[in-house]
Amino acid sequence: MKTKLLFLCMVIGLLTWGCSSDDDTETESVTAGADARPSWQKPNYDLYEQTMTVDVLLQDALQGYASENDLMCATVRGEVRALTAPVKKVSGQWYFPLIVASNDAGVDILLSYYCDALHRIFTTAWTKFDASARPTGTGGIYEPVFTDIE
């Protein structure tokens, strides 16, 4: 009888240990917010001497939430200098073709992404204005990080 009781305790202990959760293995998800759709307006490109054209690929962690209702804007010194809706690539990934306007080279650009499905605006310090930047590429300015969730 003692052997059966000991065996039963061991089995229950193993089952309990095997069913416990491990915080390190849980996947994080992006949380929804309560941001209203922004009223960003396209800049008047005639007011600026230079433009920087870049296709920005949406971060992998946000791809599953993206839709045609999303927006991305670039701001310089608090002024909207680019605004666009997303385009879906043949591969199914969303990207934003941005044309950023400026009169000054090397100024800091903030990038903001409004996700309609999550009702959130994500903002990141993006890059410095460079009219000679290539329109397409990988990494860096072409794939900005809005959230640290992978």
Side-chain angles (χ1 to χ4, degrees):
M1 181 69 174
K2 286 184 180 180
T3 306
K4 286 183 182 179
L5 185 58
L6 180 61
F7 179 73
L8 183 60
C9 287
M10 286 175 46
V11 169
I12 291 173
L14 285 172
L15 287 174
T16 304
W17 176 68
C19 294
S20 67
S21 74
D22 182 359
D23 290 341
D24 293 337
T25 61
E26 291 181 17
T27 0
E28 293 184 70
S29 63
V30 183
T31 57
D35 294 330
R37 184 175 181 81
S39 58
W40 298 324
Q41 299 295 313
K42 275 194 174 186
N44 179 350
Y45 290 100
D46 294 333
L47 300 176
Y48 301 97
E49 297 173 2
Q50 304 173 63
T51 59
M52 173 178 156
T53 303
V54 179
D55 286 349
V56 176
L57 183 65
L58 188 60
Q59 183 179 355
D60 285 345
L62 298 171
Q63 283 283 341
Y65 302 99
S67 74
E68 295 170 344
N69 298 321
D70 295 355
L71 292 172
M72 187 173 287
C73 86
T75 58
V76 174
R77 298 182 185 121
E79 295 179 13
V80 173
R81 300 293 181 89
L83 178 65
T84 190
V87 174
K88 198 168 193 177
K89 286 185 171 187
V90 175
S91 64
Q93 291 184 307
W94 293 91
Y95 75 97
F96 294 80
L98 281 177
I99 300 173
V100 184
S102 182
N103 288 326
D104 304 308
V107 293
D108 292 329
I109 302 173
L110 291 179
L111 199 60
S112 296
Y113 164 62
Y114 171 72
C115 179
D116 187 64
L118 295 171
H119 300 289
R120 279 191 63 189
I121 298 173
F122 299 88
T123 301
T124 187
W126 183 38
T127 190
K128 294 194 179 293
F129 183 86
D130 179 3
S132 67
R134 292 188 343 247
T136 60
T138 57
I141 65 172
Y142 306 99
E143 298 175 22
V145 176
F146 289 102
T147 178
D148 58 357
I149 295 174
E150 298 288 322

